[in-house]
PDB file of all heavy atoms in Angstrom:
ATOM      1  N   GLU A 189       2.285   8.965 -15.410  1.00  0.00           N
ATOM      2  CA  GLU A 189       2.700   7.621 -14.940  1.00  0.00           C
ATOM      3  C   GLU A 189       2.441   7.542 -13.401  1.00  0.00           C
ATOM      4  O   GLU A 189       2.895   8.454 -12.627  1.00  0.00           O
ATOM      5  CB  GLU A 189       4.188   7.416 -15.218  1.00  0.00           C
ATOM      6  CG  GLU A 189       4.673   6.071 -14.774  1.00  0.00           C
ATOM      7  CD  GLU A 189       6.199   5.930 -14.887  1.00  0.00           C
ATOM      8  OE1 GLU A 189       6.745   6.212 -15.958  1.00  0.00           O
ATOM      9  OE2 GLU A 189       6.822   5.580 -13.843  1.00  0.00           O
ATOM     10  N   VAL A 190       1.773   6.525 -12.940  1.00  0.00           N
ATOM     11  CA  VAL A 190       1.532   6.387 -11.552  1.00  0.00           C
ATOM     12  C   VAL A 190       2.195   5.117 -10.973  1.00  0.00           C
ATOM     13  O   VAL A 190       2.402   4.173 -11.753  1.00  0.00           O
ATOM     14  CB  VAL A 190      -0.002   6.304 -11.170  1.00  0.00           C
ATOM     15  CG1 VAL A 190      -0.700   7.571 -11.744  1.00  0.00           C
ATOM     16  CG2 VAL A 190      -0.648   5.150 -11.681  1.00  0.00           C
ATOM     17  N   MET A 191       2.390   5.071  -9.674  1.00  0.00           N
ATOM     18  CA  MET A 191       2.969   3.966  -9.088  1.00  0.00           C
ATOM     19  C   MET A 191       2.022   2.726  -8.921  1.00  0.00           C
ATOM     20  O   MET A 191       0.920   2.852  -9.374  1.00  0.00           O
ATOM     21  CB  MET A 191       3.517   4.323  -7.659  1.00  0.00           C
ATOM     22  CG  MET A 191       4.816   5.032  -7.583  1.00  0.00           C
ATOM     23  SD  MET A 191       5.364   5.259  -5.946  1.00  0.00           S
ATOM     24  CE  MET A 191       7.043   5.859  -6.199  1.00  0.00           C
ATOM     25  N   GLY A 192       2.496   1.680  -8.282  1.00  0.00           N
ATOM     26  CA  GLY A 192       1.628   0.524  -8.147  1.00  0.00           C
ATOM     27  C   GLY A 192       2.424  -0.798  -8.330  1.00  0.00           C
ATOM     28  O   GLY A 192       1.840  -1.876  -8.312  1.00  0.00           O
ATOM     29  N   ARG A 193       3.730  -0.610  -8.557  1.00  0.00           N
ATOM     30  CA  ARG A 193       4.591  -1.784  -8.774  1.00  0.00           C
ATOM     31  C   ARG A 193       3.973  -2.673  -9.902  1.00  0.00           C
ATOM     32  O   ARG A 193       3.727  -2.126 -10.980  1.00  0.00           O
ATOM     33  CB  ARG A 193       4.790  -2.578  -7.519  1.00  0.00           C
ATOM     34  CG  ARG A 193       6.296  -2.816  -7.304  1.00  0.00           C
ATOM     35  CD  ARG A 193       6.528  -3.275  -5.827  1.00  0.00           C
ATOM     36  NE  ARG A 193       5.625  -4.217  -5.330  1.00  0.00           N
ATOM     37  CZ  ARG A 193       5.903  -5.405  -4.918  1.00  0.00           C
ATOM     38  NH1 ARG A 193       7.159  -5.815  -4.961  1.00  0.00           N
ATOM     39  NH2 ARG A 193       4.991  -6.206  -4.380  1.00  0.00           N
ATOM     40  N   HIS A 194       3.695  -3.970  -9.683  1.00  0.00           N
ATOM     41  CA  HIS A 194       3.118  -4.759 -10.729  1.00  0.00           C
ATOM     42  C   HIS A 194       1.623  -4.742 -10.811  1.00  0.00           C
ATOM     43  O   HIS A 194       1.031  -5.428 -11.610  1.00  0.00           O
ATOM     44  CB  HIS A 194       3.543  -6.281 -10.474  1.00  0.00           C
ATOM     45  CG  HIS A 194       5.042  -6.378 -10.291  1.00  0.00           C
ATOM     46  ND1 HIS A 194       5.959  -6.031 -11.278  1.00  0.00           N
ATOM     47  CD2 HIS A 194       5.777  -6.886  -9.238  1.00  0.00           C
ATOM     48  CE1 HIS A 194       7.159  -6.248 -10.799  1.00  0.00           C
ATOM     49  NE2 HIS A 194       7.094  -6.726  -9.570  1.00  0.00           N
ATOM     50  N   ALA A 195       1.005  -3.922  -9.913  1.00  0.00           N
ATOM     51  CA  ALA A 195      -0.509  -3.843  -9.906  1.00  0.00           C
ATOM     52  C   ALA A 195      -1.008  -2.605 -10.565  1.00  0.00           C
ATOM     53  O   ALA A 195      -0.381  -1.536 -10.457  1.00  0.00           O
ATOM     54  CB  ALA A 195      -0.990  -3.970  -8.445  1.00  0.00           C
ATOM     55  N   LEU A 212      -3.688   2.455 -18.889  1.00  0.00           N
ATOM     56  CA  LEU A 212      -2.874   1.299 -19.176  1.00  0.00           C
ATOM     57  C   LEU A 212      -2.500   0.612 -17.883  1.00  0.00           C
ATOM     58  O   LEU A 212      -1.820   1.244 -17.038  1.00  0.00           O
ATOM     59  CB  LEU A 212      -1.675   1.647 -20.013  1.00  0.00           C
ATOM     60  CG  LEU A 212      -1.822   2.484 -21.271  1.00  0.00           C
ATOM     61  CD1 LEU A 212      -0.491   2.627 -22.016  1.00  0.00           C
ATOM     62  CD2 LEU A 212      -2.864   1.751 -22.187  1.00  0.00           C
ATOM     63  N   ILE A 213      -2.877  -0.630 -17.763  1.00  0.00           N
ATOM     64  CA  ILE A 213      -2.586  -1.410 -16.501  1.00  0.00           C
ATOM     65  C   ILE A 213      -1.858  -2.737 -16.973  1.00  0.00           C
ATOM     66  O   ILE A 213      -2.104  -3.222 -18.019  1.00  0.00           O
ATOM     67  CB  ILE A 213      -3.835  -1.675 -15.661  1.00  0.00           C
ATOM     68  CG1 ILE A 213      -4.906  -2.449 -16.459  1.00  0.00           C
ATOM     69  CG2 ILE A 213      -4.371  -0.404 -15.085  1.00  0.00           C
ATOM     70  CD1 ILE A 213      -6.011  -2.916 -15.580  1.00  0.00           C
ATOM     71  N   PRO A 214      -1.023  -3.196 -16.031  1.00  0.00           N
ATOM     72  CA  PRO A 214      -0.254  -4.427 -16.413  1.00  0.00           C
ATOM     73  C   PRO A 214      -1.173  -5.672 -16.639  1.00  0.00           C
ATOM     74  O   PRO A 214      -0.808  -6.610 -17.262  1.00  0.00           O
ATOM     75  CB  PRO A 214       0.683  -4.660 -15.313  1.00  0.00           C
ATOM     76  CG  PRO A 214       0.378  -3.679 -14.226  1.00  0.00           C
ATOM     77  CD  PRO A 214      -0.586  -2.687 -14.780  1.00  0.00           C
ATOM     78  N   VAL A 242      -0.697   5.809 -17.193  1.00  0.00           N
ATOM     79  CA  VAL A 242       0.121   4.589 -17.431  1.00  0.00           C
ATOM     80  C   VAL A 242       0.575   4.109 -16.042  1.00  0.00           C
ATOM     81  O   VAL A 242       1.277   4.808 -15.336  1.00  0.00           O
ATOM     82  CB  VAL A 242       1.362   4.943 -18.274  1.00  0.00           C
ATOM     83  CG1 VAL A 242       2.218   3.713 -18.518  1.00  0.00           C
ATOM     84  CG2 VAL A 242       0.947   5.541 -19.579  1.00  0.00           C
ATOM     85  N   ALA A 243       0.216   2.885 -15.720  1.00  0.00           N
ATOM     86  CA  ALA A 243       0.667   2.254 -14.468  1.00  0.00           C
ATOM     87  C   ALA A 243       2.163   1.916 -14.667  1.00  0.00           C
ATOM     88  O   ALA A 243       2.529   1.422 -15.749  1.00  0.00           O
ATOM     89  CB  ALA A 243      -0.125   1.055 -14.173  1.00  0.00           C
ATOM     90  N   GLU A 244       2.933   2.090 -13.658  1.00  0.00           N
ATOM     91  CA  GLU A 244       4.415   1.888 -13.802  1.00  0.00           C
ATOM     92  C   GLU A 244       4.687   0.415 -14.156  1.00  0.00           C
ATOM     93  O   GLU A 244       5.703   0.137 -14.840  1.00  0.00           O
ATOM     94  CB  GLU A 244       5.187   2.220 -12.567  1.00  0.00           C
ATOM     95  CG  GLU A 244       4.906   1.378 -11.328  1.00  0.00           C
ATOM     96  CD  GLU A 244       5.835   1.661 -10.194  1.00  0.00           C
ATOM     97  OE1 GLU A 244       6.932   2.172 -10.362  1.00  0.00           O
ATOM     98  OE2 GLU A 244       5.469   1.312  -9.025  1.00  0.00           O
ATOM     99  N   GLY A 245       3.767  -0.501 -13.840  1.00  0.00           N
ATOM    100  CA  GLY A 245       3.938  -1.912 -14.212  1.00  0.00           C
ATOM    101  C   GLY A 245       3.892  -2.203 -15.653  1.00  0.00           C
ATOM    102  O   GLY A 245       4.250  -3.253 -16.154  1.00  0.00           O
ATOM    103  N   VAL A 246       3.292  -1.228 -16.419  1.00  0.00           N
ATOM    104  CA  VAL A 246       3.200  -1.378 -17.905  1.00  0.00           C
ATOM    105  C   VAL A 246       4.506  -1.015 -18.546  1.00  0.00           C
ATOM    106  O   VAL A 246       4.893  -1.519 -19.583  1.00  0.00           O
ATOM    107  CB  VAL A 246       2.053  -0.479 -18.414  1.00  0.00           C
ATOM    108  CG1 VAL A 246       2.030  -0.492 -19.961  1.00  0.00           C
ATOM    109  CG2 VAL A 246       0.721  -1.031 -17.916  1.00  0.00           C
ATOM    110  N   GLY A 247       5.155  -0.011 -18.016  1.00  0.00           N
ATOM    111  CA  GLY A 247       6.436   0.492 -18.557  1.00  0.00           C
ATOM    112  C   GLY A 247       6.587   1.960 -18.333  1.00  0.00           C
ATOM    113  O   GLY A 247       5.849   2.557 -17.561  1.00  0.00           O
TER     114      GLY A 247
END
Side-chain angles (χ1 to χ4, degrees):
E189 183 189 306
V190 306
M191 279 185 171
R193 233 165 41 121
H194 308 299
L212 304 187
I213 56 172
V242 180
E244 67 171 339
V246 170

